[in-house]
Amino acid sequence: MALYNFKKIMVVPTAKDFIDITLSKTQRKTPTVVHKHYQIHRIRHFYMRKVKFTQQNYHDRLSQILTDFPKLDDIHPFYADLMNVLYDKDHYKLALGQINIAKNLIDNVAKDYVRLMKYGDSLYRCKQLKRAALGRMCTILKRQKSSLEYLEQVRQHLSRLPSIDPNTRTLLLCGYPNVGKSSFINKVTRADVDVQPYAFTTKSLFVGHMDYRYLRWQVVDTPGILDHPLEERNTIEMQAITALAHLRAAVLYVMDVSEQCGHTLQEQLELFNSIRPLFANKPLIVVANKCDVKKITELSEENQKIFADLTAEGIPVIETSTLTEEGVMQVKTEACDRLLADRVENKMKGKKVHDVLNRLHLAMPAKRDDKERPPFIPEGALIRKRAMEVDAPKRRLERDLEVELGDDYILDLQKYWDLMNEEEKHDRVPEVWEGHNIADYIDPDIMKKLEDLEKEEELKERAGEYDSDDESEDEDMQEIRVLAKQIREKKQLLIVQSKDKDVHGPRMPRTTTKVRGGGQFKIITAVSVLVCTRFARRSRSITKKRKREASAPPTSKTRSQSASRPPRDQSGIRDPKMAKKAKKMMKNSQKDMNRQGKKGEADRHVFDLKPKHLLAGKRKSGTNDYR
Amino acid sequence: MPQNEHIELHRKRHGQRLDHHERKRKKESREVHERSHKAKKLIGLKAKLYHKQRHAEKIQMKKTLKMHEQRKTKQKNDDKTPEGAVPAYLLDREGQSRAKVLSNMIKQKRKEKAGKWEVPLPKVRAQGETEVLKVIKTGKRQKKAWKRMVTKVCFVGDGFTRKPPKYERFIRPMGLRFKKAHVTHPELKATFCLPILGVKKNPSSPLYTSLGVITKGTVVEVNVSELGLVTQGGKVIWGKYAQVTNNPENDGCINATVPGYPEFTRNVLTTTKNTKIQHAVGFQSQDHQEDR
């Protein structure tokens, strides 16, 4: 299983935390109440449950640690070797072994004590046995303190390792410290590796990704290697050696032509020869970096001979400068091409190719006539392609300007404006002039446009676009209108008729009688008969176009029920002073009830003196003020 | 993707937040208030644990403070000076305390003569029969009650086979049989897990001794050959008596101590020049004495 995602490992708690977590979990998740008078089997079961629960938790947690951490035999040898270099294989295996032993011991302890508890004949005895069992399990774990600490540190470091895929196309950079490997990777990919003048700035492997020929390539930056035998190498250098040994990649051996790194060309050649065996079967390119300081042709005779020898052996030597970016693209393309050719060759030699080759068939269409039909490639694509291959100077970007000016840079977008008078670009534009808002007059044709608009509006109005359209109404709508008119007429008739009838005789003023709702109903029932027949069909609602007008307040006020009698708080009151006193008395008597949250005088009964949700369970009184 | 020490790299390049130091300072000073709030408001089990932890911390703090203080102050060295009138020729001398240094051998010989056992726990609570033996009812109507089951931890020897179940009066369940004891040696201040050889004496009753019941105060014989002890005469000790100091049925393990001295040895092996192993006879005479 490709465990290249080491970020999924669970946090390894410290011994103290581990114990605290598990014991408090046992306390929370198992029943807590037991009494002496319970039946003995119930007591036993209660305590056995606790022992087993604790054992289960420890077991689960420890097993998870054991499965999360990668087994050095199961992962790619590159990662296995890298972990050996960084964390020491023996120590790692020992730590995991200790955890395993602890897990087994805890299981055994639990088993023994559960067996003993079957003979417990009193609550005290069972309780003591449970206490002894939990104590022993926690002691076992306390002894694993150092293993757990070590594993936590390993986990943290492991999760930050760069995710290098050992099987894909890779370019590997190696060489002395300070020759320019990290600068190279910064130029070619988006990796942001720290570049500093002191040696061993890069202390571990870094990976960056780039694209070439529509494929994804990995570029791996290594810490510098010094020239001494393998046994004397420290951890940092060993990481580079591991990468060289296990990754099947194109190797870019970077040399510093100007000798600014502090090592002469001879020394660099020595190193090259000593790690030569690691370059076997890998496409190799020698990158002569820092050529802006010193070119190969400026070197002495013997140094030039070095490079000449290398070229003679068939290893391409390419001059680059990561500062001026010359030669970087060339190196990239050369290395990628060589690696691709190598990979294809290896794949052809392998067995899997034949499955694919058998199924592939390249169809070559036979020529129909003598007419030439070349592929059509638009100009832009060709230009771009050429730009990709050769480093064409790009146009000067705003960003370049910013970098150049540094702190003095001010963003000035006005220089791009297209004005008739070029000198006016940087003028300040006022906002108000002679009482007019400048923004209104931006357009030179604005007056003309306004006139056009007004004319259009006039035309539209005349055409009647804003009128309510009677023609668009269909038959139903017209019928409704007719009906409504009829209803109105009928209503008025009924009103006049009822006024003429002198049924009631001498009348009392309106305030003394109760209002009857019946009179209104009569009108409505008479009308509704007319309406129902026509309205039954309609299901859609039609929105009518209507002129907008200011919304009027409702014309009728609803009359209160007790119009005939004075309200209770006003009856029997002689003057405002008495009214005020009465109101005060009322409020006083209500104060107490309101404070207790009662509705009124009759609301005396408390239905639930001890609400269960506040007082029962583990979180009872003293823990929460509300639920 | 963040690689290697990306956090430190970011800090190196961009520095920290503008208010980083102020926030840090404020957070640290708030810790005092949080601690006091916790100490006041926690209840229940959490409070107990917290107070225990805090108590330990405070003790440490006080110790270090005292240590620092001690360096500043000077302390008087009060050696032993002889009290009372001192002759002139002794004025310059410092006080000396003399003690009789007796050799182990002599002490042992004296004890032998006295014939007393020195045991770590002289007085032990006697266990009644109803406590140690539980009545098991058998028979078709569960009325016969002549069987007993031992409810305490017991020891049965290696070659132990039960009597036929029909005739077995005392049942010693397998779950309660223990073979090993954790023996503490007070001089070496170490505890070893040693196999039990047998139960020597149970102070409550000789019946329990014969059954092999181990309770608190029982004298048990343990195999100490792995300690590699040797007597004065060059004999290798492989058995020792130890007394049980805990309640094994409550703790699930047998804790015992070996009394400091005199040593009790039994079955001492001798090795001759030809390294032939011979079995020497005899108990020491004090074995059989009981403590009153």
Side-chain angles (χ1 to χ4, degrees):
Chain A
M1 183 178 136
L3 264 175
Y4 303 127
N5 186 10
F6 294 135
K7 301 183 204 292
K8 291 277 177 67
I9 305 179
M10 276 277 175
V11 178
V12 179
T14 60
K16 185 169 170 294
D17 281 345
F18 203 157
I19 294 173
D20 280 344
I21 291 168
T22 313
L23 286 181
S24 73
K25 198 166 183 189
T26 311
Q27 197 230 343
R28 280 179 293 125
K29 304 279 185 184
T30 51
T32 50
V33 180
V34 74
H35 291 295
K36 256 199 303 197
H37 58 78
Y38 285 178
Q39 297 191 305
I40 190 65
H41 68 86
R42 194 171 159 189
I43 297 175
R44 274 192 211 139
H45 183 262
F46 174 84
Y47 284 113
M48 276 202 267
R49 186 170 166 181
K50 289 200 186 265
V51 172
K52 280 194 249 183
F53 187 86
T54 312
Q55 179 251 329
Q56 191 66 42
N57 272 328
Y58 275 134
H59 183 101
D60 286 343
R61 206 74 191 249
L62 291 172
S63 314
Q64 192 188 43
I65 293 175
L66 288 171
T67 47
D68 273 347
F69 275 90
K71 274 208 252 248
L72 292 178
D73 306 320
D74 283 350
I75 51 180
H76 193 274
F78 164 63
Y79 275 104
D81 228 357
L82 191 64
M83 284 177 72
N84 182 16
V85 163
L86 290 168
Y87 316 127
D88 190 16
K89 188 165 72 163
D90 294 334
H91 194 175
Y92 180 81
K93 281 191 175 175
L94 268 174
L96 287 177
Q98 296 274 17
I99 301 282
N100 197 20
I101 290 174
K103 186 180 76 161
N104 289 336
L105 285 176
I106 287 175
D107 288 344
N108 286 341
V109 162
K111 228 191 312 176
D112 285 339
Y113 277 86
V114 163
R115 196 171 356 114
L116 265 177
M117 223 181 280
K118 292 190 197 152
Y119 298 102
D121 47 8
S122 68
L123 182 131
Y124 178 73
R125 196 159 150 186
C126 292
K127 185 173 180 179
Q128 294 300 93
L129 283 169
K130 162 235 173 199
R131 205 163 152 259
L134 294 198
R136 269 176 105 157
M137 289 194 252
C138 294
T139 315
I140 293 172
L141 213 63
K142 247 197 270 187
R143 294 202 302 251
Q144 307 304 324
K145 184 167 157 185
S146 51
S147 296
L148 290 169
E149 266 174 25
Y150 168 77
L151 284 172
E152 172 61 16
Q153 284 181 359
V154 167
R155 180 199 75 91
Q156 280 183 3
H157 197 270
L158 207 52
S159 68
R160 290 189 203 169
L161 284 183
S163 47
I164 301 175
D165 186 355
N167 298 321
T168 180
R169 304 157 285 272
T170 320
L171 300 180
L172 196 53
L173 296 161
C174 57
Y176 261 100
N178 260 354
V179 292
K181 305 184 285 298
S182 302
S183 319
F184 187 86
I185 193 177
N186 281 343
K187 280 277 171 280
V188 169
T189 69
R190 277 198 71 197
D192 218 354
V193 184
D194 215 15
V195 175
Q196 299 283 348
Y198 58 87
F200 288 106
T201 316
T202 311
K203 292 190 211 48
S204 51
L205 301 174
F206 280 88
V207 74
H209 297 269
M210 65 180 201
D211 291 322
Y212 178 73
R213 292 241 196 117
Y214 309 108
L215 291 169
R216 214 84 242 246
W217 296 74
Q218 272 180 152
V219 184
V220 176
D221 180 27
T222 64
I225 317 172
L226 294 171
D227 193 11
H228 36 229
L230 191 66
E231 298 79 37
E232 289 171 28
R233 293 203 183 279
N234 61 14
T235 316
I236 302 176
E237 290 170 334
M238 275 309 290
Q239 291 182 60
I241 302 288
T242 312
L244 270 172
H246 288 282
L247 294 176
R248 278 186 50 236
V251 178
L252 299 172
Y253 183 75
V254 186
M255 296 179 76
D256 183 359
V257 180
S258 65
E259 297 183 2
Q260 274 178 354
C261 62
H263 303 276
T264 63
L265 274 169
Q266 273 300 332
E267 288 175 10
Q268 297 185 38
L269 185 65
E270 287 292 309
L271 174 68
F272 179 76
N273 288 329
S274 66
I275 55 175
R276 198 91 187 248
L278 287 168
F279 299 158
N281 300 335
K282 297 191 178 107
L284 173 63
I285 293 182
V286 170
V287 178
N289 203 12
K290 303 195 193 172
C291 73
D292 53 322
V293 180
K294 213 170 192 182
K295 291 222 171 291
I296 290 186
T297 42
E298 296 168 20
L299 285 174
S300 63
E301 269 296 317
E302 14 179 90
N303 288 340
Q304 280 197 32
K305 201 167 144 314
I306 297 174
F307 289 109
D309 284 339
L310 286 172
T311 327
E313 284 176 38
I315 305 167
V317 175
I318 304 175
E319 279 194 316
T320 60
S321 168
T322 49
L323 206 57
T324 61
E325 288 195 44
E326 62 169 287
V328 169
M329 282 294 138
Q330 202 189 343
V331 168
K332 179 175 143 185
T333 49
E334 182 71 37
C336 292
D337 287 336
R338 283 192 166 229
L339 184 64
L340 265 179
D342 195 54
R343 280 174 75 98
V344 167
E345 205 187 298
N346 279 336
K347 282 202 179 134
M348 296 297 269
K349 278 193 228 157
K351 285 184 260 176
K352 283 196 204 167
V353 194
H354 295 293
D355 301 346
V356 184
L357 277 180
N358 285 339
R359 285 185 260 147
L360 285 177
H361 168 68
L362 185 61
M364 298 296 290
K367 277 207 160 205
R368 198 165 55 172
D369 50 24
D370 285 327
K371 189 168 175 194
E372 272 286 312
R373 291 190 181 87
F376 173 70
I377 303 171
E379 266 299 307
L382 272 177
I383 291 172
R384 274 245 227 106
K385 190 170 180 204
R386 249 178 270 139
M388 237 174 52
E389 287 173 4
V390 177
D391 235 358
K394 302 182 205 97
R395 67 164 220 274
R396 195 133 177 272
L397 299 170
E398 198 65 26
R399 169 78 184 149
D400 297 331
L401 188 62
E402 185 185 351
V403 164
E404 232 174 83
L405 290 177
D407 270 343
D408 302 328
Y409 174 72
I410 305 167
L411 179 63
D412 184 23
L413 290 171
Q414 290 174 336
K415 65 186 175 205
Y416 292 121
W417 285 356
D418 185 17
L419 298 175
M420 286 197 302
N421 194 349
E422 291 290 320
E423 288 146 10
E424 288 173 353
K425 270 189 198 172
H426 293 276
D427 285 355
R428 276 186 54 201
V429 181
E431 288 178 9
V432 178
W433 184 68
E434 285 195 359
H436 300 289
N437 192 354
I438 300 269
D440 287 344
Y441 294 92
I442 294 288
D443 199 340
D445 300 328
I446 195 156
M447 293 311 298
K448 194 167 141 303
K449 282 191 186 159
L450 186 63
E451 278 175 32
D452 288 339
L453 197 69
E454 282 185 352
K455 270 189 219 153
E456 222 183 288
E457 279 298 310
E458 239 177 88
L459 283 170
K460 274 194 189 166
E461 224 174 302
R462 249 184 257 146
E465 220 173 284
Y466 298 123
D467 296 338
S468 60
D469 38 2
D470 299 324
E471 306 89 56
S472 67
E473 286 178 358
D474 53 350
E475 236 184 46
D476 286 339
M477 208 53 212
Q478 286 177 351
E479 276 184 24
I480 289 174
R481 289 201 195 283
V482 167
L483 206 62
K485 201 163 172 216
Q486 283 180 353
I487 291 171
R488 262 181 251 130
E489 283 175 10
K490 197 94 195 227
K491 223 175 166 177
Q492 286 183 347
L493 265 173
L494 282 172
I495 290 172
V496 169
Q497 275 175 18
S498 72
K499 274 197 184 152
D500 285 346
K501 282 192 256 174
D502 197 18
V503 182
H504 303 281
R507 302 231 199 129
M508 292 291 285
R510 245 193 331 172
T511 48
T512 52
T513 57
K514 264 196 159 181
V515 166
R516 296 269 172 80
Q520 290 168 343
F521 291 153
K522 247 200 261 176
I523 301 171
I524 288 173
T525 41
V527 160
S528 62
V529 175
L530 274 172
V531 163
C532 277
T533 47
R534 300 295 178 92
F535 267 71
R537 288 184 276 161
R538 294 204 66 77
S539 52
R540 276 183 301 142
S541 61
I542 290 186
T543 51
K544 194 175 79 159
K545 273 197 188 162
R546 183 169 70 111
K547 280 224 185 89
R548 286 224 191 141
E549 44 187 49
S551 58
T555 43
S556 68
K557 251 195 213 168
T558 48
R559 279 181 286 174
S560 60
Q561 290 281 50
S562 49
S564 50
R565 284 208 193 101
R568 280 184 73 171
D569 57 351
Q570 284 169 24
S571 69
I573 307 270
R574 285 190 289 269
D575 48 25
K577 195 169 126 207
M578 206 169 163
K580 204 168 163 191
K581 185 152 187 239
K583 195 162 185 184
K584 203 165 162 194
M585 282 170 69
M586 175 191 81
K587 292 244 184 263
N588 245 341
S589 66
Q590 284 180 351
K591 240 193 259 182
D592 224 1
M593 286 189 300
N594 284 342
R595 202 179 339 115
Q596 289 174 23
K598 298 192 174 168
K599 271 187 271 183
E601 296 160 340
D603 183 17
R604 287 195 191 114
H605 185 67
V606 178
F607 288 97
D608 198 354
L609 273 170
K610 294 197 210 168
K612 186 172 174 183
H613 68 287
L614 289 176
L615 299 171
K618 287 186 183 169
R619 291 171 63 218
K620 27 184 206 237
S621 51
T623 317
N624 263 24
D625 290 331
Y626 55 87
R627 287 302 152 95
Chain B
M1 106 214 94
Q3 302 187 58
N4 302 313
E5 286 117 27
H6 58 276
I7 299 173
E8 283 84 349
L9 190 62
H10 183 274
R11 268 199 211 132
K12 208 161 101 174
R13 283 187 184 160
H14 306 280
Q16 285 161 336
R17 292 172 76 128
L18 294 168
D19 52 359
H20 168 82
H21 292 288
E22 188 178 327
R23 281 177 69 155
K24 193 166 166 208
R25 175 183 64 85
K26 291 191 86 147
K27 190 165 185 182
E28 278 164 17
S29 62
R30 247 181 273 138
E31 210 186 309
V32 176
H33 294 284
E34 280 171 18
R35 234 187 268 139
S36 97
H37 176 86
K38 256 202 240 178
K40 282 188 223 166
K41 298 284 181 180
L42 277 179
I43 56 170
L45 180 67
K46 280 196 191 158
K48 270 196 211 167
L49 293 173
Y50 178 77
H51 287 309
K52 188 161 135 194
Q53 178 202 350
R54 187 84 187 122
H55 188 57
E57 274 175 30
K58 280 192 173 165
I59 292 173
Q60 272 310 109
M61 266 199 290
K62 283 194 182 149
K63 275 194 189 163
T64 48
L65 280 172
K66 224 177 180 182
M67 219 169 62
H68 290 308
E69 270 176 30
Q70 272 183 350
R71 282 199 205 122
K72 293 181 201 164
T73 60
K74 288 188 201 165
Q75 273 188 347
K76 225 169 112 185
N77 262 348
D78 45 359
D79 298 322
K80 269 198 199 158
T81 46
E83 291 187 350
V86 177
Y89 52 85
L90 279 180
L91 272 173
D92 282 275
R93 305 238 178 127
E94 287 149 10
Q96 259 185 7
S97 57
R98 287 192 191 172
K100 280 196 202 164
V101 178
L102 294 171
S103 67
N104 265 3
M105 278 276 277
I106 299 173
K107 278 193 185 168
Q108 201 175 352
K109 287 212 175 121
R110 282 193 193 166
K111 289 274 170 145
E112 274 175 47
K113 286 182 201 162
K116 273 213 148 185
W117 262 23
E118 214 181 71
V119 201
L121 300 175
K123 284 195 209 159
V124 166
R125 188 177 80 89
Q127 319 256 0
E129 243 199 47
T130 42
E131 209 180 322
V132 177
L133 300 171
K134 182 179 147 181
V135 176
I136 304 277
K137 294 216 173 108
T138 53
K140 194 174 183 184
R141 290 177 192 86
Q142 297 287 319
K143 271 170 71 177
K144 300 192 187 183
W146 55 272
K147 278 187 186 258
R148 299 282 183 275
M149 183 176 88
V150 171
T151 58
K152 305 280 177 185
V153 161
C154 51
F155 172 77
V156 295
D158 262 347
F160 173 76
T161 20
R162 294 161 62 186
K163 274 161 85 170
K166 188 170 173 187
Y167 303 110
E168 174 182 52
R169 188 165 356 153
F170 293 102
I171 302 173
R172 280 164 281 188
M174 274 179 73
L176 291 174
R177 292 182 201 165
F178 275 64
K179 286 190 221 162
K180 289 205 168 191
H182 304 296
V183 182
T184 315
H185 198 287
E187 269 179 16
L188 302 172
K189 290 203 197 283
T191 314
F192 309 94
C193 189
L194 304 170
I196 304 176
L197 291 169
V199 172
K200 179 66 186 164
K201 181 145 190 81
N202 192 316
S204 307
S205 155
L207 171 66
Y208 302 154
T209 315
S210 61
L211 280 176
V213 172
I214 300 179
T215 55
K216 184 167 180 176
T218 312
V219 176
V220 154
E221 204 180 338
V222 282
N223 183 348
V224 295
S225 51
E226 60 174 45
L227 299 185
L229 302 169
V230 181
T231 59
Q232 297 271 350
K235 300 179 182 176
V236 175
I237 305 171
W238 66 273
K240 257 187 184 287
Y241 291 138
Q243 194 182 28
V244 175
T245 52
N246 73 331
N247 284 317
E249 70 274 4
N250 284 348
D251 297 333
C253 56
I254 305 176
N255 295 344
T257 53
V258 175
Y261 71 91
E263 292 169 8
F264 296 90
T265 57
R266 178 202 179 199
N267 290 352
V268 168
L269 284 170
T270 57
T271 53
T272 60
K273 279 183 198 166
N274 305 332
T275 62
K276 254 197 302 182
I277 298 173
Q278 283 180 5
H279 199 89
V281 180
F283 295 69
Q284 307 277 355
S285 60
Q286 73 275 23
D287 277 5
H288 308 289
Q289 302 281 344
E290 260 188 50
D291 191 31
R292 300 221 183 252

